[in-house]
């Protein structure tokens, strides 16, 4: 086969391949194609090992089996924060989320003393809610303690968690209300009861609103404050 014929065959193959891609896109749906596009070589967001999304956290990685690589919010929009209670200590939460056999982990863990660990990047999907759709659209925050021990929910924990939630809401334009900030028990299909009857939602939501409107360290409005002033935030 001559060079010119080879070129024609190659051009024909490109055209056929292009037609197949268009047909495939139509069958797949543009929304689904958009979700998959980031996986092509050279299109994934830059990642840095140990990089934090929340400045008040320390990085300690969850096992790779407990989360799914994604490119949120480009492939899945983020519009929920899910509050969990671990039924154990801060150290217990870190240990089980580092265990690949556990099959679950949250993006963050908050301790009684106000410590915050980030275990999964927010752009990735954590297996935390027991519901695939909710996992894809939410960020999970685990808290040290037991649902039947109100003393476990300390002022330091509430304050640190509220700052974290306000920060998340600022980044993604999530309204600060109980429709968008929910407990694990409120996730459809779950058999969990956390954060339980002793979690003070009124107190917590007020702290989140205060954190969202408080000035940053330099005295200028914080990112959370700017988000709180957006239409739809309350």
């Amino acid at each position: 086969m001559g060079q010119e014929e080879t070129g024609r065959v190659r051009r024909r193959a490109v055209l056929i391949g292009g037609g197949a891609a268009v047909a495939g896109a139509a069958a797949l749906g543009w929304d689904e194609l958009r979700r998959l596009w980031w996986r092509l070589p050279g299109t994934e967001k830059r990642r840095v090992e140990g990089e934090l999304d929340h400045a008040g956290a320390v990085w300690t990685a969850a096992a790779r089996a407990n989360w799914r690589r994604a490119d949120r919010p480009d492939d899945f929009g983020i519009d929920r924060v899910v509050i969990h209670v671990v039924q154990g200590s801060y150290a217990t939460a870190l240990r089980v989320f580092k265990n690949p056999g556990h099959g679950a982990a949250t993006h963050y863990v908050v301790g009684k003393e106000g410590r915050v660990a980030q275990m999964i990047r927010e752009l990735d999907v954590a297996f935390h809610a027991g519901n695939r759709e909710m996992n894809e659209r939410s960020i999970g925050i685990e808290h040290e303690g037991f649902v039947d021990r109100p003393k476990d929910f300390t002022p330091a924990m509430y304050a640190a968690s509220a700052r974290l939630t306000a920060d998340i809401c600022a980044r993604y334009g999530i309204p600060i209300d109980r429709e968008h900030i929910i407990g694990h028990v409120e996730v459809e299909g779950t058999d969990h009861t956390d954060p339980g009857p002793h979690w003070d939602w009124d107190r917590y939501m007020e702290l989140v609103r205060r954190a969202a409107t408080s000035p940053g360290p330099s005295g200028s409005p914080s990112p959370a404050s700017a988000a709180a002033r957006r239409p739809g935030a309350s």
Side-chain angles (χ1 to χ4, degrees), residues 71-95:
D71 194 37
R72 303 189 309 167
D74 290 344
D75 51 359
F76 300 103
I78 299 172
D79 65 359
R80 295 290 189 278
V81 177
V82 181
I83 302 298
H84 302 257
V85 171
V86 70
Q87 292 296 93
S89 68
Y90 179 85
T92 295
L94 300 188
R95 184 174 67 252

Side-chain angles (χ1 to χ4, degrees), residues 14 24 37 41 45 55-56 59 110 129 136 139-140 165-166 190 204 213 215 221:
V14 169
W37 184 259
K45 285 191 179 80
W59 178 260
V110 182
E136 290 171 343
I139 292 173
T165 294
T190 187
Y204 185 68
T213 56

